[in-house]
Structure formats: C-alpha cells, structure tokens
Amino acid sequence: MGMTMSQKILAKHAGLDSVKEGQLIKAKLDMVLGNDITSPVAINEFNKAGFNSVFDKEKISLVMDHFTPNKDIKAATQCKQCRDFAGKYDILNYYDVGDMGIEHALLPEKGLIAPGELCIGADSHTCTYGALGAFSTGVGSTDMCAGMATGEAWFKVPGAIKFNLTGKLNKYVSGKDVILHIIGMIGVDGALYKSMEFTGEGLKSLSIDDRLTIANMAIEAGAKNGIFEVDQITLDYVKDRVNRPFEYFKADEDAVYSQVIDIDLGTVKQTVAFPHLPENTRTIDEIKEDIAIDQVVIGSCTNGRISDMRIAAEILKGKHIAKNVRCIVIPGTQKIYLECIKEGLAEIFVEAGCVFSTPTCGPCLGGHMGILAAGERAVSTTNRNFVGRMGHVDSEIYLASPAVAAASAIAGKIAGIN
Amino acid sequence: MNAHGIVHKFGDNIDTDVIIPARYLNTADHKELASHCMEDIDKEFVNKVKEGDIMVGEANFGCGSSREHAPIAIKASGISCVIASTFARIFYRNAINIGLAILECPEAAKDIDEGNEVEVDFDTGIITNVTKGRKYQAEPFPDFIKEIINKGGLLNSLKK
C-alpha cells in the first residue's frame, strides 16, 4: 500500500520502510520550537523531570513573539525564564526583541526548516512549515520538553485528504481566500487528525507566501499538518536559506486518501470568515449588508509576510483609512519590517493613518497591541475568530486577506476590491 | 482507576481560547490558570466545580491553540475526566501527556446532561450515567497511551 507525503516523512524519521494510518511511532526530530508562552511550561517540566542537557542545541528554536515587547511584568518574567534557559543550554536559535519575528514567519525565513524535515512546535500554527514540504505539527509544552531532552516525539500516523489544485488565482485573491474557502467547505473539524496534502498543476501559481498562509491554517480545519508537494518554487525559496542536505518526498501513486477534493483556483473568490468560527465563510459578493468596523489588523503568522505588506500598501497608497477605524499593521519579522521601510511601504501605512508596529503576535490572541472593547468589530488577517480571541467576549472578528482588510480599512466597513 | 462526579456540560467546538483565555497566559501557575478556567463561556464554572467532577463536551473539544494551559486549567480546577464525541488532536495529546483522563464517546456526549451524576471505569471504558441509569461504551485507549497514563504522564513514562 502506498504512502502519502506525510507518511513517508514520518517513516523515514522513525527508521521504518513504511508506516500506515493509525500506527503509533517514535520519530527523530529535526527541529523543536517554543515561544514565550509555551516554553515556560516546558522549561518548568524540563527542570522538574531532572533533565540536564538538550538533545541538540542547533535543533531547538525559542522565539519571544507572543507578549513581546513584554506587555507586563508577568510576560517579562516568562521571557526572562526562556532567555536564562537558552543561555544555560547554549541554544543557538534563541530570538528576542530586536532580532525576532513571529515564529512561523521567522523559521522559514532563517532557513531553519527544510523540505522533508520533521518539526514539532509548542504552537498550533507550527503546521505552517508544510508549505516547504516538511512534516510540521503543533504540540503542547510537555511534548516540547520531551523533544528538547530526547530529540524524539510519539506520533499516531495520520491519514490524509488530498487537495488537487488546478487553475490560477485571480487578482486580489490570495492563499488566505483559498484556505478560508476550504475551511468553509470542510468545516473546523473537516480534517480532524488528518494531513491536508496539496498537489496539482495549480501549485505553479501559488507563491511560497500563499502556501505558508494555506498551511498555517490547516489547524483551523482540525488537521494534524498541511503539506505542499515540493516543486521548483520551493527549491528556489530554500536555495539561499538552507545549507544542509535534505531529502523530500512525493506521495505514492497508490497512496490512500479519505477524500480527494479538486479546487479550481480560478473560481476562488475573496472570502471572509464571520464570527465566531473560521468555517463561517461568505464570499465578498455574498455580503449584501453594511458591516461597520472599528479596527483592522494586518499581520500575524498567517499574513505578515512581505507580499502581504505589499498588497496592503498598494491598496492604501495615497488614501486614508476611514474615520473611527484603527488600522494596525504588523510585519512578521525584523527583515520584513526593514523591507517595508526600504520599499516605502511603512511611509504609505503611516500616511494612510495606520499604526506600523514591531513584529508581535499581540492582538491576534488578545494579548496586547490592539484589544477590542465590548461591541467592537475587527477585520483581521489573523487565523482565529473565536469568542473573546481579540479582547472582550462581546467583540467580533472577521477573518480576511490583507487585500480585503486594507480595502475594509478605507471603507470603514467590510469591503472587497476589484 | 475510576472517576465519579457531577457533570458540567458544554457544546461543540469548545476552543482553547474559552477554556483559558490568552490574556491569562502570562503565567504558568496551575492554580491561577484554574481560577480562570472556562471564564469566557461560563463565568460561574469556577464557583460550581468540585473536586472529581466530570466535563462533557460534544464535537471537536479543545480546538484551536496548542496551549497546554488548557488541559492544565481543567485538571487543576478539579475535573477528573473529560468526555466528548471528538477531541481536537493537540488537546487530545496534551491531556494524555499531562495525565488528564479523556474519553471519546459520541453516545455519552450526546445523552449526558448538565448536572448528571456519572461514573467512569477507565479499564473497561464503560461510562455509567447514574442519574439516567444508562451505560455507554467509550473507545478504550491503545496500550501505548495506557502506559503513558498509567505512569502519570509522558515525562514519567520516559524514565526507565
């Protein structure tokens, strides 16, 4: 019986010739990730369990991104704990304010993930790196702790849904619209425990940034991981970033899928997910009523990359956001931040009346840098619109692409762009 | 191992943001996390819950973030077992890894109501609704997972 891409990566890292759905395996890890919220729990467990070394100081990444720059004394204390741990064990990929980025924008950019590698991260959006053809999945702090100590993790081998992509995206339609369209179709548990495997000739029209956005939100369909077949676009992206050998995999012809879904990218429209679940999607032309907004957030691990900044700037250039709307633009990494300055995007944002922030997860999870009051509404390029996610339990989040978010900021209500 | 308690019932897609809102994640203290457990969906939960009580949800329980603070908050609030029709996968493994007993049982999740008195036998997977006088059979754990739980969580199971 053939294997999927995900199964082949798991088999290789478990030292097995083949694996099948449902099998419990132990596999060797190429990267273990944590952030300023999940790492302290892992570090406490690490110390409590009496470990006194890490498996590989080059294969652990600690990224201070959620409540940074430290929002309060407790957040500062958690970051200090991570900093001290990184110092004690000489962890090379420790990223703090000034050289950090939002973890899932940062790790691919730094070449810390290669096609075919196996990564766990104590953050649910760790599934982002499947965009590069890696098997990458979110876990909790205890798994992170065990991973840092032993370099291994247990997995139940997942089955898969295959997404066969054809056609080409229309102008102002992006990876965000594709993944919202898919979650709207299969639901927030439509891929529960499964891999979402993306393949087909439509891949040619999807940039790495589009793929990172799509893989990022695989978790929002309940998936264990999202993964893209590696092609020339992937190899071009990693060429100057990854300087170690890697082996990547295509699915077998006779791989077994629980479902095969064909998507013509040319038919995907600008899409918005209404409160309070990412599956509550409507295409922009299905929204007939005026939905007035108070805040727009453009950024996050989902949509804080340079192409997201460019499209938002293109729409905001020479315009001003609506009165009574606050627009917060957050580039994903320091590198992207600098690119925004050099390309003149930062100036466009500020002149349009937006806030231009240092990288942080901040508002996405209701941490800081843009919390909503009761009764307020936001259009956000982030990934979750759960009750209370960005602030008060009586606030509302509408998930959308950077293009729709920028157009909405100008209109003062949810708006698309032609 | 058994659980026996009064049920706190929740619906579909109970996400980790309502189990423990991110604004409280600036601490890893178990008791402090427990004091905000379920706050954004049921403000009274922390006042009602008693040691040994049982939480029941429906589909996709624990979806969203990977924060282990979610099962930690539930466990530290006194809950002895969570029953749901399905669990989001990261929550599922986190619960096992920290030694919070969880059982998938669609029949029980549907039939059990708020306030019912329920007993769980983890060895057999039999859930008994004492209030309604009914029994439900849950999926038993695979041996691999049983071993992690029996040893008191993943880290203890790593010790030879």
Side-chain angles (χ1 to χ4, degrees):
Chain A
M1 198 169 68
M3 289 190 285
T4 65
M5 290 184 266
S6 302
Q7 290 166 353
K8 285 188 174 180
I9 296 172
L10 288 174
K12 182 191 165 189
H13 286 79
L16 300 168
D17 291 334
S18 70
V19 293
K20 57 177 199 288
E21 182 179 352
Q23 190 176 344
L24 285 153
I25 57 162
K26 254 192 184 163
K28 293 206 181 310
L29 303 168
D30 296 306
M31 181 54 71
V32 179
L33 163 72
N35 59 49
D36 52 313
I37 285 176
T38 56
S39 304
V41 178
I43 292 167
N44 288 344
E45 293 301 317
F46 191 94
N47 294 334
K48 212 164 76 188
F51 294 122
N52 50 25
S53 63
V54 296
F55 85 106
D56 189 333
K57 64 182 185 177
E58 293 182 25
K59 293 183 178 176
I60 295 169
S61 294
L62 299 177
V63 186
M64 304 300 101
D65 59 0
H66 274 60
F67 289 165
T68 55
N70 301 328
K71 80 183 182 94
D72 54 26
I73 294 169
K74 285 179 171 176
T77 307
Q78 295 203 132
C79 283
K80 185 170 185 299
Q81 189 185 2
C82 297
R83 197 176 300 120
D84 291 347
F85 181 83
K88 182 175 178 184
Y89 293 103
D90 196 21
I91 288 166
L92 297 185
N93 301 304
Y94 171 76
Y95 295 101
D96 211 328
V97 170
D99 65 353
M100 53 71 80
I102 296 171
E103 50 196 338
H104 310 308
L106 188 70
L107 266 61
E109 181 187 286
K110 295 276 185 193
L112 293 172
I113 307 291
E117 288 189 339
L118 177 56
C119 168
I120 61 166
D123 187 281
S124 59
H125 294 107
T126 303
C127 53
T128 308
Y129 318 132
L132 305 182
F135 182 98
S136 188
T137 190
V139 297
S141 298
T142 297
D143 278 313
M144 179 195 171
C145 168
M148 288 197 298
T150 66
E152 290 184 339
W154 66 271
F155 296 95
K156 191 170 173 183
V157 176
I161 300 176
K162 177 178 172 175
F163 292 86
N164 185 34
L165 308 180
T166 58
K168 195 168 174 288
L169 292 176
N170 290 308
K171 175 115 176 117
Y172 296 124
V173 176
S174 66
K176 183 60 163 288
D177 301 292
V178 175
I179 190 63
L180 289 177
H181 170 75
I182 288 172
I183 297 166
M185 182 166 47
I186 68 174
V188 292
D189 57 356
L192 200 58
Y193 307 130
K194 292 189 167 62
S195 305
M196 294 168 77
E197 301 215 335
F198 297 92
T199 181
E201 52 98 7
L203 288 186
K204 285 200 297 282
S205 78
L206 290 178
S207 68
I208 282 294
D209 285 3
D210 281 322
R211 298 177 193 192
L212 288 161
T213 303
I214 293 170
N216 173 272
M217 288 187 70
I219 179 70
E220 262 57 69
K224 184 167 192 137
N225 67 312
I227 186 167
F228 280 75
E229 190 171 295
V230 173
D231 62 5
Q232 197 54 45
I233 294 171
T234 329
L235 297 175
D236 288 345
Y237 179 82
V238 297
K239 187 163 62 98
D240 298 325
R241 293 181 164 87
V242 175
N243 55 9
R244 58 188 178 277
F246 57 84
E247 183 190 10
Y248 57 91
F249 302 92
K250 272 191 161 67
D252 287 326
E253 291 282 326
D254 59 344
V256 178
Y257 301 97
S258 63
Q259 218 179 334
V260 178
I261 297 175
D262 294 314
I263 293 174
D264 176 354
L265 296 173
T267 65
V268 176
K269 295 176 177 174
Q270 291 167 41
T271 302
V272 177
F274 279 49
H276 291 284
L277 283 176
E279 70 183 17
N280 295 336
T281 57
R282 281 156 75 175
T283 58
I284 205 81
D285 49 15
E286 288 170 343
I287 305 170
K288 303 294 182 203
E289 69 273 39
D290 281 352
I291 301 171
I293 56 170
D294 304 284
Q295 179 166 299
V296 170
V297 174
I298 300 174
S300 82
C301 61
T302 314
N303 279 122
R305 281 168 276 270
I306 191 64
S307 58
D308 301 315
M309 298 294 121
R310 285 180 187 141
I311 195 82
E314 180 190 322
I315 292 164
L316 288 162
K317 188 173 185 179
K319 301 213 169 66
H320 200 280
I321 62 168
K323 198 173 158 51
N324 298 327
V325 171
R326 312 171 305 263
C327 181
I328 302 160
V329 182
I330 310 177
T333 66
Q334 287 289 93
K335 181 171 180 284
I336 298 166
Y337 186 85
L338 191 57
E339 282 171 340
C340 286
I341 292 170
K342 286 183 177 165
E343 293 182 18
L345 312 185
E347 196 177 331
I348 292 170
F349 294 135
V350 174
E351 282 183 349
C354 306
V355 170
F356 185 65
S357 162
T358 190
T360 179
C361 305
C364 171
L365 75 163
H368 64 155
M369 282 296 294
I371 305 301
L372 299 173
E376 288 197 318
R377 273 194 206 116
V379 172
S380 181
T381 68
T382 55
N383 42 52
R384 291 196 176 122
N385 55 355
F386 298 153
V387 170
R389 173 80 177 177
M390 199 176 277
H392 198 279
V393 290
D394 295 327
S395 60
E396 292 183 345
I397 305 161
Y398 295 73
L399 303 175
S401 69
V404 169
S408 301
I410 295 166
K413 60 183 184 182
I414 294 177
I417 179 156
N418 294 316
Chain B
M1 199 169 102
N2 290 304
H4 183 180
I6 300 300
V7 165
H8 302 267
K9 179 77 190 278
F10 297 92
D12 286 335
N13 301 313
I14 297 302
D15 62 76
T16 54
D17 278 284
V18 297
I19 296 172
I20 181 71
R23 58 184 178 275
Y24 302 120
L25 301 185
N26 54 5
T27 179
D29 181 77
H30 293 197
K31 284 216 169 71
E32 200 175 333
L33 291 170
S35 73
H36 298 293
C37 188
M38 311 310 281
E39 181 176 296
D40 280 1
I41 192 168
D42 179 4
K43 276 197 167 31
E44 284 308 305
F45 172 77
V46 291
N47 300 323
K48 291 184 296 194
V49 67
K50 291 195 176 57
E51 194 66 34
D53 279 358
I54 291 168
M55 189 178 280
V56 179
E58 297 195 26
N60 203 25
F61 188 95
C63 62
S65 152
S66 68
R67 63 189 71 155
E68 205 160 287
H69 312 67
I72 287 173
I74 291 174
K75 193 179 177 196
S77 77
I79 291 290
S80 61
C81 171
V82 185
I83 300 166
S85 1
T86 54
F87 289 94
R89 58 157 287 276
I90 305 178
F91 182 90
Y92 187 85
R93 68 185 286 143
N94 284 349
I96 289 164
N97 284 344
I98 68 159
L100 169 67
I102 58 172
L103 287 173
E104 276 194 347
C105 184
E107 195 197 350
K110 196 171 281 177
D111 197 47
I112 295 173
D113 295 320
E114 171 80 20
N116 284 176
E117 183 187 349
V118 164
E119 274 179 10
V120 182
D121 184 327
F122 294 112
D123 293 327
T124 60
I126 292 172
I127 300 167
T128 307
N129 188 333
V130 179
T131 309
K132 292 187 172 180
R134 288 185 202 142
K135 285 185 194 295
Y136 325 94
Q137 178 69 54
E139 278 287 315
F141 287 126
D143 290 343
F144 179 85
I145 289 172
K146 214 179 266 172
E147 193 183 317
I148 293 177
I149 292 175
N150 286 344
K151 288 190 175 164
L154 179 68
L155 294 176
N156 287 329
S157 79
L158 292 176
K159 293 176 188 160
K160 302 283 182 228

